[in-house]
């Protein structure tokens, strides 16, 4: 399976969802949520403690009835409302946070949302318990280290490009080339001078004051998402290859059950005259093309009419399965567009 095919089938987990800054009463938190049609996962941190909650459909319905008894809406509509409140924070939406104990580190976190749904007051409580250290590591620490490493690699590549550009410009100048406008002329790039300038710049001071609050702006979120997707691909590539190989081996075994229901679509090429399954070809010693159809059915399944019929049936089945798979992908895409 190629990486492109894998990406189309892959369903991201919580670790692959990028962090988003959440400003609550002047304090900046980082939050990430994974929503499905009937459940959600939430992870929240203030960079000192981490809180996590996972809510399934039944528990979600009970909380809706408790907090919003006058609202009748589907679970997916409720989840849409919660997600919109967290992402947009439109006018009329308030978000507050509290802790059940004075010690934040070991206490339950309650994130309260107050907004309106179809003109009616709507409130929601996220109730998070302290997350374990492993979850904190795999969702923030390790991805941040990977992001720093990737940005450092990109900086080295950009420096090489600038140095090559300087060589190219010097070559043009040696041949008498000149800029048409004086103000667009640039000085030769010197890496050490550039680094010193950055250290003394106002922007460096502002970035240190913010202490990384801009790490998950739009570009940072995209980089996080791409790194974690690539990590999942590299981590699961071996398992996917083994699964695919096992699936192909199973397809090459003799098929005793003629039922087509529940059969998975083939991951390999379609059956052709040059590659027929043993259930169609049979052992070479059993070939008896001169026998009648009646005797062939009882002894050898390798007469030409049966072979053609079996081949046509398999090809028709594969076409139908491929068509069903394409329809499923199309429905999934439409749902994703309409979801939130």
């Amino acid at each position: 399976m190629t990486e492109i095919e894998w990406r189309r089938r892959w369903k991201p987990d919580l670790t692959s969802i990028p962090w988003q800054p959440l400003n609550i009463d002047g304090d900046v938190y980082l939050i990430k949520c994974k929503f499905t049609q009937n459940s959600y996962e939430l992870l929240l941190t203030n960079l000192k403690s981490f809180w996590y909650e996972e809510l399934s459909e039944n528990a979600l319905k009970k909380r809706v009835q408790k907090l919003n008894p006058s609202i009748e809406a589907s679970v997916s509509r409720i989840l849409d409302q919660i997600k919109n409140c967290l992402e947009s924070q439109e006018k009329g939406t308030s978000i507050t946070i509290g802790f059940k104990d004075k010690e934040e580190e070991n206490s339950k976190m309650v994130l309260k949302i107050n907004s309106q749904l179809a003109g009616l007051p709507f409130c929601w409580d996220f109730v998070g318990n302290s997350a374990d250290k492993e979850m904190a590591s795999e969702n923030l620490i390790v991805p941040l280290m990977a992001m720093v490493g990737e940005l450092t690699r990109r900086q080295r590549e950009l420096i090489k490009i600038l140095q090559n550009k300087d060589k190219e410009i010097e070559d043009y100048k040696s041949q008498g080339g000149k800029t048409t406008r004086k103000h667009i002329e640039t000085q030769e790039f010197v890496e050490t001078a550039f680094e010193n300038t950055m250290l003394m710049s106002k922007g460096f001071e502002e970035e240190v004051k913010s202490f990384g609050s801009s790490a998950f702006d739009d570009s940072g979120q995209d980089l996080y998402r791409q790194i974690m997707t690539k990590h999942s691909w590299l981590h699961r590539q071996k398992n996917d290859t083994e699964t695919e190989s096992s699936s192909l081996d199973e397809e090459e075994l003799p098929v005793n059950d003629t039922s087509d229901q529940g059969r998975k679509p083939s991951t390999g090429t379609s059956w052709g005259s040059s590659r027929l399954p043993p259930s169609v070809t049979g052992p070479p010693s059993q070939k008896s093309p001169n026998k009648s159809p009646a005797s062939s059915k009882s002894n050898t399944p390798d007469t030409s009419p049966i072979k053609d019929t079996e081949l046509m049936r398999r090809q028709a089945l594969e076409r139908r399965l491929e068509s069903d798979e394409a329809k499923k992908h199309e429905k999934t895409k439409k749902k994703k567009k309409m979801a939130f």
Side-chain angles (χ1 to χ4, degrees), residues 14 17-18 31-35 40-43 83 86 126:
L14 184 64
I17 306 298
I31 188 172
K32 58 160 61 184
C33 295
K34 180 181 182 296
F35 289 90
Y40 70 73
E41 289 182 87
L42 173 138
L43 188 60
K83 183 178 181 183
L86 287 175
F126 292 101

Side-chain angles (χ1 to χ4, degrees), residues 44-56:
L44 181 77
T45 180
N46 58 0
L47 300 182
K48 293 184 293 185
S49 303
F50 289 78
W51 297 275
Y52 173 75
E53 182 186 35
E54 181 178 10
L55 213 61
S56 60

Side-chain angles (χ1 to χ4, degrees), residues 1-269:
M1 181 187 297
T2 65
E3 184 175 356
I4 294 176
E5 292 172 338
W6 176 85
R7 282 174 179 260
R8 290 172 181 169
R9 300 182 183 184
W10 177 58
K11 296 180 180 179
D13 56 10
L14 184 64
T15 58
S16 303
I17 306 298
W19 291 94
Q20 293 184 359
L22 183 65
N23 196 315
I24 304 176
D25 298 330
D27 296 324
V28 179
Y29 292 80
L30 290 176
I31 188 172
K32 58 160 61 184
C33 295
K34 180 181 182 296
F35 289 90
T36 68
Q37 290 295 319
N38 53 15
S39 66
Y40 70 73
E41 289 182 87
L42 173 138
L43 188 60
L44 181 77
T45 180
N46 58 0
L47 300 182
K48 293 184 293 185
S49 303
F50 289 78
W51 297 275
Y52 173 75
E53 182 186 35
E54 181 178 10
L55 213 61
S56 60
E57 183 174 7
N58 292 334
L60 198 147
K61 287 180 179 178
K62 290 180 181 179
R63 192 173 296 181
V64 170
Q65 292 174 356
K66 179 182 178 181
L67 298 175
N68 304 279
S70 61
I71 291 180
E72 294 184 3
S74 64
V75 171
S76 60
R77 180 67 185 90
I78 295 294
L79 289 171
D80 283 347
Q81 175 69 12
I82 296 171
K83 183 178 181 183
N84 289 335
C85 289
L86 287 175
E87 290 183 346
S88 59
Q89 298 184 41
E90 296 177 352
K91 189 176 181 180
T93 299
S94 65
I95 301 177
T96 57
I97 191 169
F99 303 93
K100 295 201 171 179
D101 299 321
K102 290 184 178 180
E103 294 291 333
E104 285 186 16
E105 188 173 348
N106 299 315
S107 69
K108 281 191 175 182
M109 174 276 302
V110 180
L111 186 69
K112 291 182 174 289
I113 296 177
N114 288 285
S115 64
Q116 286 195 341
L117 176 60
L120 295 174
F122 175 83
C123 62
W124 188 257
D125 290 353
F126 292 101
V127 182
N129 294 309
S130 294
D132 55 38
K133 293 181 180 179
E134 183 179 353
M135 178 169 282
S137 174
E138 66 184 11
N139 280 276
L140 184 62
I141 299 173
V142 174
L144 276 177
M145 292 175 66
M147 291 172 67
V148 171
E150 172 59 14
L151 288 174
T152 303
R153 185 191 69 84
R154 294 185 182 187
Q155 178 176 302
R156 288 197 299 266
E157 292 298 318
L158 286 173
I159 289 173
K160 290 179 183 178
I161 292 173
L162 286 172
Q163 290 172 343
N164 290 332
K165 287 287 185 183
D166 282 340
K167 291 179 182 178
E168 183 180 350
I169 292 171
E170 186 62 31
D171 183 59
Y172 290 147
K173 287 182 177 180
S174 66
Q175 299 178 38
K178 293 182 180 180
T179 56
T180 56
R181 287 167 291 179
K182 188 69 176 177
H183 68 275
I184 65 173
E185 188 173 351
T186 58
Q187 298 294 323
E188 181 180 356
F189 177 78
V190 180
E191 184 178 353
T192 305
F194 171 77
E195 291 177 352
N196 290 334
T197 301
M198 290 296 101
L199 290 174
M200 300 303 295
S201 65
K202 186 69 175 176
F204 178 68
E205 182 178 330
E206 294 298 327
E207 192 64 37
V208 173
K209 285 181 180 178
S210 67
F211 213 62
S213 61
S214 62
F216 291 106
D217 56 11
D218 291 342
S219 60
Q221 290 178 24
D222 184 63
L223 179 60
Y224 178 98
R225 186 184 296 108
Q226 294 301 330
I227 283 177
M228 296 309 293
T229 302
K230 178 66 76 170
H231 172 76
S232 296
W233 157 250
L234 295 174
H235 182 69
R236 296 174 59 179
Q237 186 176 16
K238 182 178 180 181
N239 293 334
D240 289 344
T241 303
E242 291 175 353
T243 303
E244 185 177 359
S245 176
S246 175
S247 176
L248 289 172
D249 291 342
E250 289 175 1
E251 289 177 0
E252 291 178 358
L253 292 174
V255 181
N256 295 322
D257 185 6
T258 57
S259 173
D260 294 327
Q261 296 180 356
R263 183 176 296 170
K264 294 181 180 180
S266 171
T267 56
T269 56

Side-chain angles (χ1 to χ4, degrees), residues 261-279:
Q261 296 180 356
R263 183 176 296 170
K264 294 181 180 180
S266 171
T267 56
T269 56
S270 300
W271 292 111
S273 58
S274 61
R275 186 189 176 193
L276 294 173
S279 60

Side-chain angles (χ1 to χ4, degrees), residues 262-302:
R263 183 176 296 170
K264 294 181 180 180
S266 171
T267 56
T269 56
S270 300
W271 292 111
S273 58
S274 61
R275 186 189 176 193
L276 294 173
S279 60
V280 176
T281 59
S285 60
Q286 295 180 353
K287 288 186 178 180
S288 303
N290 295 326
K291 288 186 179 182
S292 64
S295 61
S296 298
K297 185 176 287 188
S298 60
N299 296 321
T300 58
D302 195 32

